[in-house]
Amino acid sequence: MKRGFERWVPPGMNARRELSGIGGGLVVLWLFSLQFFIPYMSCRNMLYVTVNGIKSMKPGAVMPDFVTLTPGIFGVFPLFFLGMVVLTISHFHYHRQGGSRPIYLMRRLPNRWEYWRRCLTLPLLGLLAAVCLMCVLFGIYFAVYLLCTPPECLTPDQWTKIWRVVP
């Protein structure tokens, strides 16, 4: 039996192609989440006024809450999750398609979990990678919000406001 990524997909499938697809999907998720900076920079620029070429802060300017700037930045993630479910179903279906039927080969192997490992490993790793990416991006964007916004323009209790939105 081959070692490496080939042992994570059904026999006869191209593991590198599937890994490339999952990696490409994660890159698309990351690129789509960068839209956070559009409303953030727009709101941040509204904190300032330019008079005679000098940029100064508006008196009493307040930055909108972080949760109001983030709707939609993770909107593509559910589509990726659905894609991983479809990939899992295609792995199970691949074993049962016509011809030599790899399901019969899988039943003869001494390790009874081989079939499940080959059908579920890559989709579950893709789901785990996407959830980790979502958490890391959320942390980065929140850090950018806190560090790049003038402190006097921030409203207090940003963490509390985030937890009110999270179900």
Side-chain angles (χ1 to χ4, degrees), residues 71 86 90 106-107:
V86 169
S90 74
M106 301 308 290
R107 288 181 182 162

Side-chain angles (χ1 to χ4, degrees), residues 15-31 80 84 87 122 125-126 129 133:
R16 293 197 187 276
R17 188 178 78 208
E18 289 195 19
L19 283 171
S20 296
I22 291 171
L26 292 171
V27 168
V28 168
L29 294 176
W30 170 68
L31 290 173
F80 183 82
M84 291 298 101
L87 180 63
L122 281 184
L125 287 176
L133 179 66

Side-chain angles (χ1 to χ4, degrees), residues 1 104-115:
M1 185 177 291
Y104 298 128
L105 167 70
M106 301 308 290
R107 288 181 182 162
R108 289 189 316 231
L109 293 175
N111 183 359
R112 60 181 266 194
W113 298 106
E114 184 77 17
Y115 173 67

Side-chain angles (χ1 to χ4, degrees), residues 46-123:
M46 289 182 175
L47 299 175
Y48 299 97
V49 64
T50 305
V51 178
N52 296 331
I54 300 171
K55 192 174 184 181
S56 61
M57 190 170 302
K58 291 180 184 176
V62 176
M63 184 73 165
D65 293 331
F66 179 72
V67 294
T68 62
L69 300 176
T70 57
I73 65 170
F74 298 123
V76 180
F77 279 79
L79 293 176
F80 183 82
F81 297 152
L82 181 63
M84 291 298 101
V85 170
V86 169
L87 180 63
T88 303
I89 292 169
S90 74
H91 282 181
F92 281 109
H93 178 70
Y94 181 81
H95 282 96
R96 300 195 184 282
Q97 64 185 356
S100 65
R101 294 222 179 193
I103 187 71
Y104 298 128
L105 167 70
M106 301 308 290
R107 288 181 182 162
R108 289 189 316 231
L109 293 175
N111 183 359
R112 60 181 266 194
W113 298 106
E114 184 77 17
Y115 173 67
W116 294 100
R117 180 174 53 105
R118 287 182 177 263
C119 290
L120 296 174
T121 301
L122 281 184

